Amino acid sequence: MTRQSLRASLHDATQVLKDAAVPSPAVDAELIAAHVLGVQRTRLGLTPFFSDGQAEDFDTLIARRAKREPLQYITGVAAMGEIDVAVGPGVFIPRPETELLLGWALASLEACGAHPPLVMDLCSGTGALALAIAHARPDADVHAIEIDPAALEWLQRNRQLREAAGDSTITVYRGDVTDLSLLSEFTGAIDVIVANPPYVPSAANVTAEVADFEPPAAVFAGQDGLDVIRPMVANVARLLRSGGAVGIEHDDSNGAGVCAILEGHGGFSDVVEHCDLAGKPRFVTANRI
């Protein structure tokens, strides 16, 4: 059995990632090491050596990250609220900023008073939002809609993983969130809708991770980034019950644009912009009149 110093490996890997212009190279190197060792990052200090083929595996994964493959595709997981979801090629990676939309949704469910509350996640992707809501609110009846077949496979996989972990079952549909015939049986019935649709303007500068690896259809939405949100709002209005609430994540250039769409529809009140922790516009909420 050969052993290689973890500290030396991390030093070399950090330099490799720094040379490749990877953001947070030291953090990424540590997270990849923790993944290879099967430990939490905070416990790396208790594991001074790689053993067996771990050093080789580590070097292979660092080389992938140096090519700007997303860290989450390499480790296979992304966090949302109190859960992790499986991710990989073909599906949009949940972002930490979306935790704020999750927090808003849970607060809205506390206030709505319905038993069980009906929740719908539009453009669900991995299912991160829907599954995190179901984990936090096992009494909720949660429905997730996704159109892309590859993303739908990840969504179904994550649904099964969360069920195996003991969480409430969510209902998954393949559907187009801009199709006005979508789930007509729920017209006027939904208490809370969350949506993290494609919203990046087509000409926007994005990182190599996004440009080269994440599915474009899950990222970009036309010249102004509103090609999905604009027609989706009619469905949101149709599906929400009177007094129901919606939260829509958007590009940081489009807070005012999403507000204008909701206000222009005429079916919403209390339209509010919400910023992320960096002070950038991140999502808009509204109530159904």
Side-chain angles (χ1 to χ4, degrees), residues 105-142:
L106 295 177
S108 296
L109 288 173
E110 285 291 328
C112 84
H115 299 287
L118 273 171
V119 182
M120 192 168 284
D121 176 21
L122 304 178
C123 302
S124 191
T126 60
L129 269 174
L131 293 164
I133 291 170
H135 175 80
R137 286 294 302 262
D139 61 318
D141 184 6
V142 182

Side-chain angles (χ1 to χ4, degrees), residues 164-180:
D167 284 355
S168 300
T169 299
I170 70 169
T171 307
V172 173
Y173 309 86
R174 184 180 181 189
D176 180 352
V177 300
T178 70
D179 177 4
L180 288 175

Side-chain angles (χ1 to χ4, degrees), residues 50-249:
F50 283 126
S51 60
D52 298 326
Q54 290 173 337
E56 183 177 349
D57 291 342
F58 178 69
D59 290 343
T60 298
L61 298 185
I62 290 295
R64 287 172 59 186
R65 186 69 186 103
K67 293 178 181 177
R68 305 299 294 272
E69 182 175 352
L71 176 68
Q72 295 87 347
Y73 282 3
I74 293 169
T75 63
V77 295
M80 181 59 59
E82 296 182 350
I83 69 168
D84 289 336
V85 292
V87 297
V91 72
F92 182 78
I93 299 166
R95 272 35 175 195
E97 294 84 357
T98 305
E99 301 260 2
L100 299 173
L101 179 58
L102 170 63
W104 168 85
L106 295 177
S108 296
L109 288 173
E110 285 291 328
C112 84
H115 299 287
L118 273 171
V119 182
M120 192 168 284
D121 176 21
L122 304 178
C123 302
S124 191
T126 60
L129 269 174
L131 293 164
I133 291 170
H135 175 80
R137 286 294 302 262
D139 61 318
D141 184 6
V142 182
H143 301 261
I145 296 89
E146 174 56 50
I147 191 171
D148 182 75
L152 200 63
E153 289 184 12
W154 287 101
L155 175 52
Q156 294 283 19
R157 177 181 176 185
N158 282 315
R159 179 183 62 80
Q160 294 167 4
L161 289 171
R162 293 314 309 168
E163 284 179 7
D167 284 355
S168 300
T169 299
I170 70 169
T171 307
V172 173
Y173 309 86
R174 184 180 181 189
D176 180 352
V177 300
T178 70
D179 177 4
L180 288 175
S181 67
L182 176 73
L183 301 178
S184 58
E185 65 270 29
F186 289 104
T187 296
I190 304 300
D191 296 297
V192 174
I193 290 177
V194 291
N196 186 7
Y199 58 63
V200 177
S202 56
N205 291 322
V206 295
T207 66
E209 287 83 352
V210 174
D212 297 339
F213 292 93
E214 293 195 75
V219 176
F220 300 102
Q223 186 174 0
D224 63 359
L226 297 172
D227 279 8
V228 176
I229 293 175
R230 191 177 286 110
M232 181 184 75
V233 163
N235 259 342
V236 171
R238 176 179 62 82
L239 291 164
L240 281 177
R241 65 165 173 82
S242 177
V246 61
I248 302 172
E249 188 165 326

